[in-house]
Amino acid sequence: MTAMQDMLNDPVANFALSIADDLLMLGHVQGDWTGIGPILEEDIASSSMSQDDLSHALMLFEHLGNRFGLDADVIAYERSPEDYRCCDLVTVPDEFDWAVALTRRWFVAHWAAPALERLGTSDDDELNERCRRLRSEQGLHLSYLDDWMRRLGAGEGHDRMQAAMTSLAPQACMLFELPTGLDDEDHRSRRDEIFEAWSRATTAVLTDAGFSVDLTMPSEEHIGGRRGAHAKHFVEQHTEMNEVRCEDPGASW
Amino acid sequence: MSKIRQRNFTFADELPPHADGVVRSYVVYTARKDDAPHRYAGYLNAPDIALAVSLACEHYGQDEACTGIWVHDVQEITETPCAMEKMNPQDTSDTTDCESDPAWVVFGQKRRGDIHVELASLRAADSESALSRAVARHGGGMVQIRVVPHASIHATEPGQLIWRTHDQTYRMARGYSKSVRMKWEAVRKAEDIDEYRKDDIKDHF
Amino acid sequence: MSGAANPVMPIDPCQEDPEKLAEFEANIANGVLIEPGDWMPEAYRVGMLRMSEHHANSEIVGALPEGEWITRAPSLRRKLALTAKVQDEVGHGQMLYRVSQDLGKSREDMLRDLCTGKTKYHNCFNYPAPTWADIAMIQWLIDGAAIMNQKTLADGAYGPYVRTMHRINMEEAFHFKSGEDMVLTLMSGTKKQKQMTQEAFDRWWGPSIMFFGPPDKPGCEDMPPMRWRMKIETNDSLRQRFVNRFAPAARDLGLVVHVCEKNEEGFVTQKQVDELCTPDEDGNWGFTTPNWDEFFKVIRGNGPCNAHRLALRRFSYEQGAWVRRAIASGDTTLPPAA
Ligand SMILES: [Fe+2]
Ligand SMILES: [Fe+2]
């Protein structure tokens, strides 16, 4: 069996990949906004967060790379699409609508923080230490994004934000689909705990800001990105991400 | 290329009207370590100071190691005219501060063109006496003294995480110097590399 | 990246109070820096405003060609670096708009004038970046040229601009090193990578030579922009220093300079020229005189990407309007934390 398959068969690795792939693809699509955001200052701040997300994904890929003898970039770029564990929310097209981009990031950040806390209770101290650092930096995103959410609850922003939330909510709930290989009681109850934390935290902000969204746990039958059944937009983003690498496979860049 | 950037855009003849509303300008200072003085970093525009602080963290706080950020509205500044020569205040009849007066932070500029750096703080009843007191105590060797009401400065929390702990060398020149040098050495003579590197920027993040 | 415009002096300095003007000029001649509270000729204020506005515009538009490649960067480290680099350029724009803002023009007005083409930005951003190697070339040659220019500008006379230039240059150092690292990696890579890099070099060597602007007019050292230290070194001298630094480096990397020629049948062919071979007796390396007609054509808005760059900038401006309105309207202050 190859190192890649070893990794894909490992439950902890699959959980780590679900976080890392979310952050990778989120950093990838949000990074595309660098230089064209609505306010120069916000453009800069948002780009800092994209860099955090990409760096955090890299740190998790590095950990997996060390553990399974793989190169972090190979894990990040070269899996076939069905081996990515990210949820479809992260690559949902935003059509240059900043309300969608902000809401997308906000939903993911609220998931990533408790998920990292969970991942950080593994048997592996090195992984736990990484998760602790990542968690504290994702915490910065949370307070920044919550602040924006609250600001946009009144006035002209309200309807746009509400529309974005309503349209993203079903995909946001798919953040809680159990990734391939994690279909046991233990993971199920961990997942429920994270869902609990996520809906508590998001609902608090939503209520404060005057938004309302229906957030429910997805049904088991609904198979999505975490089990490799990705939407077309993920595959397109993955292809785009690999465009240069594929021009000369194996070359060093 | 991403779809946003490939799009063909069509526009109305006129731009949409100006946005109404208040956008203020803020001055940002950063400290490189705990207890180090706050040094001028730059400006930014924001609708209010709370947002200004978080925007400052994500911009000026990410340029180099940073343990604290101060932000205040530009309009809070009271300062001396910028002198041609360094000041040499003679007045030593300075009184002691009254604890019930408001606090002021004193910044100084050493030479024209330099940035303003935090020097001290003091108490005074109003901006005028704060400034004259600041000049008498801290003006020596400065071309300009600035006072800002302490209460108008918004600061990050002590110990707050600003500068990220993950590897930041990808965004700094020193993250590349070694590898660049090695790769040049494979194709060029050492003296050519040194000649070429004379034009490098020495002072960088 | 980016560089400042050659300042255009809008107002005749002769209209100023001669005594104050003489004192101002004497100060500048003595190396004294001008700070915002000082008296300054109206022509100086407007000139500095326009120069720093043009510089800021260039940073903002300069973020667009490279921004196209963030999603396609071939490794995570390169993706991070490119995102950070483009972000820096936005930050440079923001800091430079601030300098102009203090000299009397609001950022909103500057962004609007940029969108409608009323004000300009640096010419080199009107060229396309069709491959990843173009990103390497832009960061090596264009940021390299910008650094040469901006290092002299950091020696200028206007305090706020000088402070901003120092801070910007601290970041430019990273852009340049990252560009060098990419060019070096590609040129020590596969045959395909080398070819891609040579083609990108062919696209960017010309614009880099043009980067410093058209040849100087005789006597420019005594005209206000240089007399007032808004501009420190002549275009031609900066250009020669650039060529002296980069021509031998490019040669050692294995890059060659091509010029386009039409053959008898009218087909464009590329001819290798040997200007990257050796310097003359003064140590100056040769270069082909740029096609200044093309330069002015591009400035007038007829370059390969002018329309596309401006359209994206305008779209961004219009698309973001509701966010700016929403947070500036005053009814978005934070409700008390729960
Ligand atoms: Fe740059
Ligand atoms: Fe720049």
Side-chain angles (χ1 to χ4, degrees):
Chain A
M1 213 167 9
T2 66
M4 188 69 91
Q5 274 161 346
D6 279 345
M7 179 182 77
L8 291 169
N9 288 336
D10 182 276
V12 178
N14 273 290
F15 186 38
L17 281 175
S18 68
I19 305 174
D21 290 346
D22 273 7
L23 294 178
L24 167 71
M25 297 315 290
L26 185 69
H28 164 86
V29 295
Q30 297 280 157
D32 194 19
W33 279 76
T34 308
I36 43 184
I39 300 170
L40 300 181
E41 282 81 357
E42 205 289 322
D43 193 320
I44 294 163
S46 166
S47 182
S48 286
M49 284 184 268
S50 304
Q51 291 167 53
D52 283 344
D53 290 339
L54 292 169
S55 298
H56 293 172
L58 176 58
M59 277 177 77
L60 292 172
F61 291 139
E62 275 168 356
H63 165 82
L64 293 170
N66 294 339
R67 205 177 135 204
F68 293 96
L70 288 162
D71 176 65
D73 277 328
V74 170
I75 305 178
Y77 284 82
E78 294 183 7
R79 278 172 288 157
S80 41
E82 65 274 14
D83 291 336
Y84 282 77
R85 297 284 167 259
C86 49
C87 127
D88 283 340
L89 172 68
V90 291
T91 48
V92 120
D94 56 48
E95 302 299 333
F96 210 165
D97 180 345
W98 192 74
V100 174
L102 179 73
T103 308
R104 178 177 61 196
R105 170 170 263 165
W106 178 74
F107 275 132
V108 180
H110 271 286
W111 179 77
L116 281 164
E117 262 162 42
R118 255 346 204 144
L119 183 63
T121 58
S122 74
D123 302 331
D124 185 334
D125 289 343
E126 200 268 348
L127 174 62
N128 297 348
E129 170 56 18
R130 275 179 202 243
C131 289
R132 196 192 53 76
R133 285 164 60 194
L134 268 50
R135 168 65 183 85
S136 63
E137 295 184 4
Q138 286 289 328
L140 298 176
H141 299 194
L142 283 184
S143 46
Y144 181 88
L145 295 165
D146 286 351
D147 180 358
W148 272 97
M149 282 296 180
R150 292 201 180 97
R151 282 169 188 278
L152 294 172
E156 188 181 348
H158 181 275
D159 292 358
R160 289 173 184 268
M161 294 301 293
Q162 181 63 60
M165 268 176 243
T166 309
S167 83
L168 291 184
Q171 289 159 96
C173 294
M174 288 300 282
L175 282 162
F176 298 93
E177 178 187 15
L178 277 173
T180 309
L182 268 66
D183 193 21
D184 56 68
E185 261 328 296
D186 186 35
H187 283 102
R188 204 172 296 277
S189 78
R190 282 169 175 235
R191 185 266 313 260
D192 294 350
E193 276 169 41
I194 301 173
F195 179 78
E196 192 51 39
W198 180 78
S199 48
R200 213 183 317 116
T202 50
T203 309
V205 179
L206 294 175
T207 318
D208 254 15
F211 298 117
S212 74
V213 200
D214 190 19
L215 301 171
T216 47
M217 186 80 91
S219 81
E220 288 306 316
E221 288 81 65
H222 193 161
I223 297 177
R226 296 242 191 274
R227 284 183 276 182
H230 291 285
K232 201 168 132 242
H233 52 75
F234 167 78
V235 182
E236 284 168 2
Q237 290 297 341
H238 181 253
T239 308
E240 180 170 329
M241 193 167 94
N242 273 291
E243 188 186 305
V244 174
R245 269 177 101 87
C246 288
E247 264 180 67
D248 201 345
S252 134
W253 296 92
Chain B
M1 187 189 313
S2 68
K3 290 197 192 73
I4 294 172
R5 295 170 185 268
Q6 271 173 327
R7 238 193 243 169
N8 275 324
F9 303 103
T10 43
F11 300 107
D13 287 345
E14 294 287 311
L15 279 177
H18 272 93
D20 305 323
V22 194
V23 174
R24 296 178 173 284
S25 286
Y26 295 92
V27 188
V28 181
Y29 308 82
T30 55
R32 289 173 181 163
K33 356 181 216 251
D34 292 331
D35 306 325
H38 288 75
R39 301 152 46 83
Y40 169 85
Y43 283 87
L44 55 80
N45 289 356
D48 58 68
I49 198 159
L51 188 54
V53 174
S54 35
L55 294 169
C57 287
E58 299 307 321
H59 177 184
Y60 299 108
Q62 306 308 314
D63 287 340
E64 58 184 333
C66 172
T67 56
I69 288 188
W70 281 359
V71 177
H72 66 73
D73 194 316
V74 178
Q75 296 186 345
E76 300 289 348
I77 295 175
T78 308
E79 59 194 4
T80 60
C82 190
M84 288 293 161
E85 305 289 336
K86 287 184 192 296
M87 291 189 265
N88 184 18
Q90 302 295 315
D91 179 14
T92 50
S93 61
D94 194 14
T95 50
T96 46
D97 292 357
C98 170
E99 280 308 305
S100 58
D101 283 341
W104 302 78
V105 178
V106 183
F107 299 90
Q109 183 188 27
K110 266 203 180 134
R111 280 173 312 195
R112 291 179 152 248
D114 277 4
I115 58 168
H116 288 76
V117 178
E118 171 198 1
L119 297 176
S121 59
L122 51 76
R123 286 181 182 273
D126 52 44
S127 60
E128 208 180 310
S129 46
L131 188 60
S132 61
R133 217 166 264 193
V135 170
R137 289 181 197 170
H138 310 289
M142 299 288 156
V143 292
Q144 186 174 54
I145 288 289
R146 163 186 295 183
V147 292
V148 177
H150 186 269
S152 75
I153 298 178
H154 280 225
T156 51
E157 298 292 326
Q160 182 183 325
L161 176 67
I162 302 168
W163 175 247
R164 311 298 202 243
T165 64
H166 62 253
D167 181 13
Q168 298 284 302
T169 54
Y170 71 84
R171 52 179 305 150
M172 306 177 110
R174 62 182 164 82
Y176 300 86
S177 353
K178 245 202 209 140
S179 119
V180 163
R181 177 88 206 187
M182 259 170 51
K183 287 172 189 161
W184 275 125
E185 275 166 1
V187 292
R188 300 191 86 179
K189 290 191 298 243
E191 64 258 37
D192 289 341
I193 304 174
D194 292 338
E195 177 63 30
Y196 163 90
R197 283 184 37 146
K198 272 190 198 150
D199 284 320
D200 273 359
I201 288 174
K202 304 289 176 312
D203 193 17
H204 53 74
F205 290 126
Chain C
M1 138 181 5
S2 126
N6 289 316
V8 183
M9 304 310 298
I11 296 162
D12 182 2
C14 299
Q15 295 167 359
E16 301 286 351
D17 176 340
E19 239 169 77
K20 283 182 173 162
L21 183 63
E23 193 189 328
F24 172 84
E25 296 205 321
N27 278 337
I28 289 192
N30 290 329
V32 174
L33 272 76
I34 306 303
E35 289 287 358
D38 300 341
W39 181 90
M40 61 183 90
E42 184 59 7
Y44 183 79
R45 183 189 66 79
V46 177
M48 275 315 299
L49 188 162
R50 289 191 185 168
M51 180 170 146
S52 118
E53 179 181 10
H54 180 279
H55 196 163
N57 286 349
S58 307
E59 304 281 358
I60 297 299
V61 178
L64 302 179
E66 285 182 277
E68 291 175 355
W69 287 90
I70 289 175
T71 54
R72 295 175 285 178
S75 75
L76 276 179
R77 202 171 159 83
R78 295 279 186 232
K79 200 179 186 78
L80 281 162
L82 184 58
T83 313
K85 197 273 187 184
V86 176
Q87 178 196 35
D88 282 351
E89 306 300 4
V90 179
H92 298 172
Q94 184 238 303
M95 291 190 273
L96 284 159
Y97 277 136
R98 180 64 228 183
V99 176
S100 303
Q101 197 179 312
D102 280 345
L103 288 164
K105 188 170 178 183
S106 75
R107 183 199 287 178
E108 182 80 358
D109 284 337
M110 290 188 273
L111 285 172
R112 293 170 73 87
D113 286 350
L114 172 61
C115 288
T116 53
K118 209 171 143 197
T119 52
K120 301 284 180 222
Y121 51 89
H122 201 290
N123 229 17
C124 61
F125 304 119
N126 288 320
Y127 293 92
T131 72
W132 175 253
D134 291 74
I135 298 309
M137 243 358 123
I138 290 174
Q139 285 186 27
W140 187 46
L141 294 179
I142 301 294
D143 282 86
I147 287 173
M148 279 198 157
N149 188 32
Q150 289 176 177
K151 268 170 74 178
T152 73
L153 293 173
D155 233 5
Y158 187 56
Y161 190 71
V162 165
R163 277 190 285 282
T164 308
M165 221 35 61
H166 277 299
R167 192 159 187 107
I168 287 179
N169 286 344
M170 305 264 282
E171 295 180 341
E172 295 294 356
F174 142 55
H175 305 172
F176 181 66
K177 282 284 157 223
S178 143
E180 268 187 292
D181 192 48
M182 287 192 280
V183 171
L184 283 159
T185 306
L186 293 170
M187 287 307 285
S188 51
T190 65
K191 204 173 147 214
K192 209 167 171 184
Q193 286 176 308
K194 285 183 189 162
Q195 191 193 335
M196 190 195 233
T197 313
Q198 175 64 53
E199 286 166 10
F201 182 72
D202 291 338
R203 279 188 288 274
W204 290 98
W205 183 247
S208 322
I209 305 265
M210 286 197 249
F211 181 92
F212 300 95
D216 304 287
K217 300 216 170 68
C220 66
E221 273 105 337
D222 304 320
M223 302 298 283
M226 287 194 80
R227 203 169 74 222
W228 292 348
R229 293 186 71 77
M230 301 163 76
K231 187 176 163 58
I232 311 305
E233 200 174 327
T234 63
N235 295 352
D236 289 326
S237 139
L238 276 165
R239 181 169 13 252
Q240 187 62 57
R241 283 210 290 129
F242 173 84
V243 174
N244 290 350
R245 183 181 192 201
F246 285 89
R251 181 200 58 185
D252 291 351
L253 275 169
L255 294 164
V256 291
V257 169
H258 290 109
V259 288
C260 289
E261 278 192 343
K262 272 193 186 143
N263 65 13
E264 294 105 70
E265 289 106 55
F267 292 116
V268 175
T269 59
Q270 289 207 318
K271 189 181 124 211
Q272 185 175 333
V273 291
D274 49 8
E275 61 198 32
L276 287 191
C277 289
T278 41
D280 67 11
E281 57 273 20
D282 302 326
N284 286 329
W285 293 69
F287 56 90
T288 308
T289 306
N291 180 347
W292 293 111
D293 292 341
E294 181 202 302
F295 177 84
F296 289 111
K297 191 187 94 186
V298 178
I299 281 202
R300 278 193 298 270
N302 301 314
C305 298
N306 298 55
H308 183 70
R309 302 276 184 255
L310 273 191
L312 186 55
R313 184 88 287 282
R314 178 163 174 185
F315 184 65
S316 155
Y317 175 82
E318 293 192 358
Q319 198 72 2
W322 74 267
V323 186
R324 294 191 295 278
R325 279 197 305 269
I327 62 161
S329 62
D331 50 23
T332 62
T333 39
L334 283 177

